[in-house]
Amino acid sequence: MKKLFVAFAALAAFSVQAETLSVAATAVPHAEILEFVKPGLAEQGIDLQVSVFTDYVQPNVQVAEKRIDANFFQHQPYLDEFNASRGTELVTVAGIHVEPFGAYSAKHTQLDELPRRSEVAIPNDATNGGRALLLLQTAGLITLKPEAGITATPRDIADNPLQLRIREIEAATLPRVMNQVDLALINTNYALEAGLSPQDDALVIEGSESPYVNILVTHAENTDNAALLALIEALKTDAVREFILEKYEGAVVPAF
């Protein structure tokens, strides 16, 4: 009985002393990677609390309002556009991995099967929409105006030989509309959640040179947070590198 009391007392002391670090993340692969490092952080006295979100807006809003300490779901171009449009001052503290962006179809097995006036769904946010259009250009399906950059929109299409009809749809819903369109350009986290294999199922996919590294983000007053710094260190270990390579088989690529 005495030993049991001591054990409970030790547990209670740990719960009081443990420092809480809250992180918003999309489910796959971000939350899975965070859950992988959670036990190691607990040994350091850090209680990592992972909140899973299904959209690309609220994770930033929650951190900007300091309701959550950090988030892990986005790449730098998206963060830059979000800060500019929302007037927020969120900052990047670490780059962790790349998720090569792909185009998928439930109706066709090759891009050259796409008929004239095919419906093509892309994300409706500025940076991922532009990323999708750049991939379509790389695939030879469209040509963008020379001045179009990473925030290109359908209005920047200069040449569209197949007269593709571009539909801009909220990123999280793209896997669910695959049966309704000829081609859907889907962020890898949502593709993985839908059971798609980027390496096996994508008709075209970004190369390993993709600049869209997924980042850990916090608000400007939190960059020296000791628990956050411990999380960064934990995420950049050989163990995490091996976890990513083995679990995602090339669908997610370490960037450290």
Side-chain angles (χ1 to χ4, degrees), residues 107-155:
K107 299 180 179 181
H108 311 289
T109 59
Q110 299 181 69
L111 286 180
D112 59 14
E113 295 177 5
L114 290 176
R116 186 172 295 278
R117 295 188 60 75
S118 289
E119 282 196 298
V120 178
I122 68 172
N124 66 354
D125 63 271
T127 51
N128 286 304
R131 186 180 184 184
L133 292 172
L134 288 169
L135 185 58
L136 290 175
Q137 177 172 253
T138 298
L141 294 175
I142 63 172
T143 301
L144 296 169
K145 296 174 183 176
E147 65 273 17
I150 59 174
T151 56
T153 73
R155 293 188 298 275

Side-chain angles (χ1 to χ4, degrees), residues 10-148:
L11 182 61
F14 173 80
S15 64
V16 170
Q17 296 172 3
E19 183 174 357
T20 299
L21 180 68
S22 56
V23 182
T26 43
V28 182
H30 307 83
E32 293 178 341
I33 296 172
L34 292 170
E35 291 293 343
F36 178 77
V37 302
K38 187 172 183 175
L41 290 172
E43 293 177 359
Q44 300 178 50
I46 299 169
D47 177 18
L48 179 62
Q49 298 183 351
V50 182
S51 298
V52 176
F53 287 78
T54 60
D55 72 295
Y56 285 169
V57 176
Q58 280 303 309
N60 275 340
V61 171
Q62 295 293 314
V63 175
E65 294 179 352
K66 301 180 183 179
R67 298 180 182 180
I68 293 179
D69 295 314
N71 66 49
F72 181 33
F73 75 97
Q74 65 195 314
H75 48 64
Q76 191 66 49
Y78 182 87
L79 176 61
D80 291 342
E81 192 278 332
F82 188 94
N83 278 334
S85 63
R86 301 286 185 122
T88 51
E89 296 181 353
L90 300 173
V91 294
T92 300
V93 290
I96 307 301
H97 69 265
V98 174
E99 300 171 16
F101 195 79
Y104 303 83
S105 178
K107 299 180 179 181
H108 311 289
T109 59
Q110 299 181 69
L111 286 180
D112 59 14
E113 295 177 5
L114 290 176
R116 186 172 295 278
R117 295 188 60 75
S118 289
E119 282 196 298
V120 178
I122 68 172
N124 66 354
D125 63 271
T127 51
N128 286 304
R131 186 180 184 184
L133 292 172
L134 288 169
L135 185 58
L136 290 175
Q137 177 172 253
T138 298
L141 294 175
I142 63 172
T143 301
L144 296 169
K145 296 174 183 176
E147 65 273 17

